[in-house]
Amino acid sequence: MKKFLLGMVGTVFTVFCVTDVNAQESQFKPTKGSFSTELNFTPFENDGNMFSLENGYALKFRYFLNDKNALRLRIGLGMDSKKYNNEASRDMDGDDIDDYFTNTEMKAKWGDFSLDLGYERHFNIHKRISLYAGAQIGIYKHFVSAEGETSSESFYKATYWNDAYTVIQSSSSEYSNMIPSGYEGYGVNADEAYFGVAASIFTGLDFYLYKGLYIGAELGLNINSHKVLEREEKKLTSSYNSLDGKTKTEETEVKYEDELRTTSVRFKVEPAIRLGWTF
């Protein structure tokens, strides 16, 4: 089956190469004012996801100042969240507690944002082929937050020295720029927010199949450096006892800040065919 698909792709590629051999160059390549966008294309992906965005969440655009110079913009935004809620009540026969009620709620969210601006210089080596080189610089941020709340109500039986009474307890936690450990049971891993800058130099090749439709590949040297952001943890606990009608509260606030910075320098090759369209 794979050989058959490879053969089909090769046939289609050959047909595009040999058709319209006398067509003018302007029919295929972008000109002044052209605008393009693209997707990653992996036709033999085992999970069936043949199309994807760059880095899984980023859109990529080009604007051609003329047939040799282009500006590029890459913007990415992705977010995930998870919420957990559980309520339980028990009748405590045979104990001092007559009835017991608890409620647990957890929320967490995490995501990424990136913005890159760059420049491309294109070289005309064939009416269907454009070789280019350039550079880009940008910023990126990974953000996380979480909050949790647990409350309980206990209804105590009457005793020989007083009437029945109620105890209400609650605790809440709020985390900024962090998800602490201990949430794994809810399917959320510990995480920290960070902010960074990125720069790269690259070269690539675009092959125009038909008018504005092209496929391509790109190779680049990337530099990324990011720092973990200041994290904050707030906790509030309270307890109310109907015997004296008083509520006791306790509030704590802790901030974490360190100079943890991660820097990486590496070559990058796009793991898929770039499939794009120029308007």
Side-chain angles (χ1 to χ4, degrees):
M1 184 64 181
K2 183 174 290 187
K3 291 182 178 180
F4 173 76
L5 291 174
L6 285 170
M8 289 293 293
V9 172
T11 301
V12 172
F13 188 84
T14 303
V15 170
F16 276 121
C17 289
V18 299
T19 55
D20 295 328
V21 292
N22 295 321
Q24 297 297 315
E25 186 172 309
S26 61
Q27 284 185 278
F28 304 105
K29 292 186 178 180
T31 56
K32 181 179 179 179
S34 295
F35 176 83
S36 71
T37 185
E38 61 189 49
L39 298 170
N40 288 335
F41 177 54
T42 50
F44 308 115
E45 189 70 28
N46 291 331
D47 59 8
N49 297 321
M50 294 190 296
F51 299 97
S52 63
L53 299 176
E54 189 166 351
N55 295 331
Y57 68 97
L59 296 170
K60 187 176 177 181
F61 305 97
R62 280 171 167 169
Y63 177 76
F64 285 83
L65 303 174
N66 50 48
D67 59 348
K68 293 183 179 180
N69 300 285
L71 301 177
R72 63 193 278 172
L73 168 68
R74 184 175 65 181
I75 181 168
L77 178 63
M79 187 180 74
D80 294 282
S81 63
K82 182 163 287 189
K83 181 178 180 180
Y84 172 86
N85 184 272
N86 180 63
E87 296 183 358
S89 61
R90 298 192 300 272
D91 186 4
M92 310 293 285
D93 291 336
D95 204 329
D96 289 339
I97 302 177
D98 192 39
D99 201 5
Y100 182 73
F101 171 81
T102 60
N103 179 74
T104 302
E105 183 174 319
M106 183 280 299
K107 298 178 182 178
K109 61 181 179 180
W110 59 96
D112 294 277
F113 170 79
S114 64
L115 179 66
D116 298 277
L117 298 173
Y119 164 78
E120 297 177 359
R121 176 69 174 181
H122 288 251
F123 304 94
N124 180 23
I125 61 175
H126 188 271
K127 66 183 178 182
R128 289 181 182 266
I129 300 175
S130 179
L131 176 67
Y132 65 90
Q136 71 179 23
I137 188 170
I139 58 174
Y140 60 96
K141 182 179 181 180
H142 179 65
F143 54 90
V144 295
S145 64
E147 57 184 85
E149 183 174 351
T150 300
S151 61
S152 65
E153 294 184 33
S154 302
F155 301 94
Y156 287 82
K157 298 177 180 179
T159 63
Y160 62 89
W161 68 81
N162 58 255
D163 295 329
Y165 63 97
T166 302
V167 174
I168 301 176
Q169 296 176 314
S170 66
S171 63
S172 62
S173 302
E174 183 178 343
Y175 304 93
S176 299
N177 291 331
M178 65 180 294
I179 298 177
S181 59
Y183 282 75
E184 290 80 4
Y186 305 120
V188 179
N189 296 322
D191 203 355
E192 295 175 326
Y194 54 81
F195 177 82
V197 295
S200 65
I201 54 175
F202 53 83
T203 183
L205 190 72
D206 293 335
F207 179 84
Y208 286 82
L209 300 172
Y210 177 74
K211 294 184 178 179
L213 180 65
Y214 66 89
I215 60 173
E218 188 172 290
L219 167 68
L221 177 64
N222 293 0
I223 302 175
N224 297 279
S225 181
H226 64 258
K227 179 184 176 182
V228 173
L229 299 176
E230 179 183 273
R231 287 92 64 207
E232 186 176 44
E233 175 184 356
K234 294 181 180 179
K235 289 188 176 182
L236 176 66
T237 60
S238 66
S239 178
Y240 168 78
N241 192 318
S242 64
L243 283 176
D244 54 19
K246 295 181 179 181
T247 300
K248 298 179 181 180
T249 62
E250 181 180 354
E251 185 174 357
T252 59
E253 182 177 332
V254 182
K255 292 185 178 181
Y256 306 90
E257 184 176 9
D258 46 45
E259 295 297 326
L260 179 59
R261 178 174 290 276
T262 302
T263 301
S264 64
V265 180
R266 63 185 62 186
F267 284 103
K268 178 183 178 183
V269 179
E270 291 295 335
I273 299 170
R274 295 166 40 249
L275 178 64
W277 185 266
T278 301
F279 302 90

